[in-house]
Amino acid sequence: MTAKNEESIPSAKLKEIENGKVVVKPNNNKQQLADAPVKKRKFPFYLFLSESAILVLIIVCFSLMSVAPDLFFNVYYDGWIYIIHSPYPWTLVLIFAIPALALLNTYFYIFGLDSTHRGKIYIVRFLSIAALITLAFPLADAPSSYGYSVPAIGFLIGMYVFMNYCFVSHIVLKTYLLTKKETIKNSLFRKAIAGSPAELEWRKYHTFSGYLAIITGVLFIQFFWLLYHVFIRPSIVRKAKRKLIINSLNFEEDVNLTTVALDIGISLEETIFLLKQLQLKRQLSLEFTRYGAVLKEVRKAKWFTFVIQEKYDAFLTKQKMTEYELKANRFIELTERIKLKLSDFRKVLEIDENFSSNDLLLLLPPKIAKIRKPLFNIHTHIFFNHDQALLLREKITKTFVENGERIFGKKTPKTPAKTKPKSTK
């Protein structure tokens, strides 16, 4: 039987669907998952009870130590060294058990605690720190029957410093986490494991900041991390985003900003806001369209990256620029050198011999360049302001176009028989 003579035999299920006996229900699993309530973590009674036990042990141990230090340690001399002996296990509890438990609870607080429960645990730990600091002062006034020796004083100071280290460790980070609703993985350790290359470029600062927080917390320089995380890191991330957005634009071409936002991994509103901010600061010249933006000019030297330089060179090759416009563009390129010997400058631009360099500076916008003869130097140099040149690119081009004949003179071709005369349009 050929394919043309074959008859399609519908299945029984298809017939029931056509007759309306079977109703096909849409798959609402995704909607049900979205509407499902988010399970919150239970209150960590272990953490609360252990922190409360630490508070009680600190109060009991330091109170007993201020009244009867003999319960904790004795100091005696065996002929060549002082030995600190503890007849009771209180010292071991005070030196090892309490600080170890405090460090373990600090780890749970930072990495495993829900954001809604941080406040209660933080209050108990803060009371423990306050008790540790205040109850240590009565130890300086020992009972009259007991006098502290030099080894005993050193032992007490070392124990006190070690306990303070264990209790106060990461206190700045813990205080910072009180103001955040997210977990530490979302607020600090948001690793750049997926996304576009542009998105990974600025997200790497989140991971770096998280590791820096933990390291500086252990080394007790958390205030430096706080300065970095609150002030320095946001500016670095913002600068990286701006650089990526500018690199995504093209000169005199409409670029869809939605595509740019998806590629970088930020919202469209933030992309438009950053571009408008740069435009208001006169660092970019942009024209916003319905769906995108057209880059006209980059006016700040730090945004004129290697990618932008390549795009600008490609843009210039497409343009039918006049000879004077090319000279103006070459002048702006020369300003990147900051300074140049005046004779070389005139040679590169092919300035007419009868035209004075001072007259050229008078025609150009102010603060673009100045002529100086450095001390102990026989040559005169011209010094440029590259940022100002980029900012006033249009005025410089206009100056060269309107005064081209005066600056460069009328040049006749070397072989007039073989070349065609240039258009004067």
Side-chain angles (χ1 to χ4, degrees), residues 132-273:
L132 179 64
I133 294 173
T134 55
L135 292 177
F137 289 103
L139 294 179
D141 300 327
S144 57
S145 60
Y146 185 86
Y148 289 127
S149 62
V150 175
I153 293 174
F155 173 76
L156 285 174
I157 293 175
M159 180 187 68
Y160 180 67
V161 170
F162 178 69
M163 290 191 69
N164 268 291
Y165 171 80
C166 294
F167 276 82
V168 186
S169 181
H170 296 95
I171 191 66
V172 174
L173 178 59
K174 293 168 74 173
T175 307
Y176 168 78
L177 289 176
L178 284 177
T179 62
K180 298 294 180 181
K181 294 182 180 180
E182 302 89 358
T183 62
I184 190 172
K185 290 184 179 180
N186 291 331
S187 57
L188 290 182
F189 288 93
R190 187 175 295 174
K191 293 185 178 181
I193 58 176
S196 62
E199 183 177 355
L200 302 181
E201 176 67 24
W202 65 268
R203 282 194 183 276
K204 65 183 180 182
Y205 297 105
H206 285 276
T207 305
F208 176 75
S209 176
Y211 286 117
L212 192 64
I214 300 302
I215 294 171
T216 54
V218 173
L219 299 177
F220 266 132
I221 50 176
Q222 296 177 83
F223 289 102
F224 293 99
W225 166 79
L226 194 64
L227 177 68
Y228 169 82
H229 189 76
V230 176
F231 299 103
I232 300 176
R233 187 189 64 87
S235 63
I236 292 176
V237 173
R238 197 180 303 113
K239 184 178 179 180
K241 290 180 180 179
R242 287 174 176 175
K243 182 179 177 182
L244 292 168
I245 292 172
I246 295 171
N247 288 344
S248 301
L249 300 176
N250 294 324
F251 285 93
E252 297 294 341
E253 290 184 14
D254 190 4
V255 178
N256 194 335
L257 292 181
T258 305
T259 307
V260 174
L262 289 173
D263 183 43
I264 298 175
I266 60 179
S267 63
L268 177 61
E269 291 79 8
E270 186 179 1
T271 305
I272 297 173
F273 173 77

Side-chain angles (χ1 to χ4, degrees), residues 15 40 72 102 115 121 184 195 208 249 251 323 348 391 420:
K15 288 182 178 180
K40 293 185 178 180
F72 290 86
S115 59
I121 307 299
I184 190 172
F208 176 75
L249 300 176
F251 285 93
E323 183 181 356
V348 171
L391 186 65
K420 296 181 180 180

Side-chain angles (χ1 to χ4, degrees), residues 375-408:
L375 193 63
F376 307 113
N377 200 322
I378 60 175
H379 299 288
T380 304
H381 287 72
I382 180 169
F383 294 83
F384 305 104
N385 188 339
H386 183 58
D387 293 343
Q388 194 73 8
L390 289 175
L391 186 65
L392 301 174
R393 181 190 293 272
E394 295 177 0
K395 290 185 178 180
I396 294 172
T397 305
K398 185 178 179 181
T399 300
F400 275 86
V401 170
E402 293 179 352
N403 303 279
E405 292 184 1
R406 292 176 55 193
I407 298 172
F408 306 105

Side-chain angles (χ1 to χ4, degrees), residues 56 82 114 149 198 239 241-242 300 355-356 410 418:
V56 172
Y82 285 96
D114 191 62
S149 62
K239 184 178 179 180
K241 290 180 180 179
R242 287 174 176 175
K300 197 71 174 178
F355 190 76
S356 172
K410 294 182 179 179
K418 295 183 180 180

Side-chain angles (χ1 to χ4, degrees), residues 2 14 28 54 73 80-81 103 113 129 144 170 201 213 231 248 288 303 360 370:
T2 60
L14 183 59
N28 295 327
I54 289 174
F73 60 88
W80 64 284
I81 191 172
L103 286 176
L113 192 62
I129 295 172
S144 57
H170 296 95
E201 176 67 24
F231 299 103
S248 301
F288 287 96
W303 301 124
L360 175 62
K370 57 184 178 181

